[in-house]
Amino acid sequence: MSYAAHRRDFGSFVGQAPSKRGAVPERAGILRRIFDAFMESRQRDVDRQITRFLAARSGGTLTDDLEREISHRLSTLNWSLNASPYGDRRFP
């Protein structure tokens, strides 16, 4: 079932004060800046690992199997190039 919103379902912007032009945005707190710096560092590290992995394994082409293997390695943090991608699975 779908629903189309009616105009009275939305609030009015007429009663709101206009924003100040040239207002300086609030600076994030120290913990937020530390956390953001940590997350950016981690993302750069993961990007470097994926680049090295693709260069060693694929020669520059990304296949479904390599994409699956990268996802698996990201979730298990196993970046050894000699490790089997599915070595930790047990089949009955």
Side-chain angles (χ1 to χ4, degrees):
M1 193 189 285
S2 64
Y3 172 76
H6 193 269
R7 64 178 172 82
R8 67 176 173 250
D9 293 339
F10 297 100
S12 173
F13 291 106
V14 176
Q16 296 179 355
S19 63
K20 297 178 184 176
R21 292 184 183 224
V24 178
E26 288 188 32
R27 208 168 143 185
I30 185 73
L31 290 177
R32 170 49 87 185
R33 287 184 280 160
I34 291 171
F35 178 75
D36 288 344
F38 174 76
M39 293 306 291
E40 288 174 12
S41 171
R42 179 69 182 129
Q43 184 63 46
R44 283 191 307 270
D45 185 43
V46 168
D47 290 343
R48 278 192 300 268
Q49 290 174 358
I50 290 173
T51 302
R52 272 191 243 122
F53 179 77
L54 286 176
R57 287 284 178 105
S58 70
T61 58
L62 181 63
T63 62
D64 288 341
D65 188 46
L66 282 174
E67 188 175 353
R68 215 173 297 116
E69 189 172 341
I70 288 170
S71 296
H72 178 73
R73 287 172 188 259
L74 281 173
S75 64
T76 61
L77 297 177
N78 179 16
W79 280 102
S80 172
L81 291 177
N82 296 326
S84 171
Y86 306 110
D88 60 340
R89 294 186 181 177
R90 293 185 192 175
F91 297 103

